[in-house]
Amino acid sequence: MLPSLGAGLDFFNAANSNTQKEQVEKLLEDLTPPPSCIVSDMCLHYTATIATRFNIPSISFLGQSCFSLFCMYSLGKSRLLSGITSNTEYFVLPGLPDKVEMTKAQLPAQKTDAEWRKFYARTGAAEGVSYGVVMNSFEELEADYASAYKKARKGRVWCIGPVSLSNFEIGSQIKP
């Protein structure tokens, strides 16, 4: 419902506001019994701080594929991009089950913007302390990449997809 993709960072920053964090903390303080885990969208990085504070495991929900996340994981781990100066030079993504070539220009554009880099750094830090991830994918669709991403995440990846925003029952739409 955003007017453009350019408003995405503003949306994510608003969703991670101190007001949101304080409301969730208040909710958890009052819950009896306390929750056994927090499952949260990966873009809500403040939930990792809350989970740590309350000593509750956090599990991230990721709407991306195992393929795309393993590609980003492999790029980050290899630091290959630091040696590539051209936006149009093709390189092979390291450590993938298949040979995949791309250029820096084909990477998500927001990765180069300083504000997006800050957001991704906070999200990455939250992912680093999460117990695991629930994926909007299914292993039969991308078996090699699900296996590789599970190995990278020490087995703590659960593919439960596809999850959609709407389901149909006897021809009528059920509102989420």
Side-chain angles (χ1 to χ4, degrees):
M1 301 294 293
L2 295 175
S4 74
L5 290 178
L9 183 59
D10 291 336
F11 174 79
F12 291 136
N13 285 335
N16 282 286
S17 71
N18 280 334
T19 303
Q20 291 286 86
K21 181 181 177 216
E22 290 165 3
Q23 290 175 354
V24 173
E25 285 176 331
K26 174 77 172 110
L27 175 71
L28 289 177
E29 286 170 356
D30 296 340
L31 279 178
T32 305
S36 42
C37 77
I38 295 174
V39 178
S40 172
D41 187 279
M42 70 178 285
C43 292
L44 299 176
H45 48 75
Y46 72 88
T47 59
T49 304
I50 292 172
T52 300
R53 176 180 170 214
F54 287 92
N55 199 29
I56 302 168
S58 65
I59 297 175
S60 295
F61 173 77
L62 305 176
Q64 295 170 279
S65 65
C66 292
F67 169 78
S68 66
L69 287 166
F70 189 65
C71 286
M72 298 312 290
Y73 168 83
S74 294
L75 277 175
K77 186 174 179 181
S78 72
R79 304 206 185 278
L80 173 72
L81 293 178
S82 62
I84 298 175
T85 56
S86 168
N87 281 341
T88 58
E89 175 186 345
Y90 279 88
F91 58 88
V92 175
L93 278 79
L96 272 62
D98 302 298
K99 182 179 179 181
V100 177
E101 295 183 52
M102 64 184 312
T103 66
K104 272 188 167 181
Q106 293 172 319
L107 291 173
Q110 60 266 26
K111 288 282 193 186
T112 61
D113 178 88
E115 288 302 311
W116 274 107
R117 281 198 311 267
K118 285 182 198 174
F119 175 78
Y120 282 121
R122 289 189 297 266
T123 302
E127 285 301 301
V129 299
S130 74
Y131 180 79
V133 295
V134 175
M135 302 292 301
N136 186 20
S137 184
F138 53 100
E139 292 182 44
E140 294 81 2
L141 177 67
E142 50 179 347
D144 291 342
Y145 293 93
S147 176
Y149 194 57
K150 276 186 180 187
K151 185 176 179 183
R153 294 293 312 236
K154 298 178 177 70
R156 295 181 177 165
V157 174
W158 299 276
C159 296
I160 62 164
V163 178
S164 65
L165 294 177
S166 61
N167 294 296
F168 292 89
E169 182 179 305
I170 313 173
S172 65
Q173 187 172 0
I174 299 170
K175 301 290 182 188

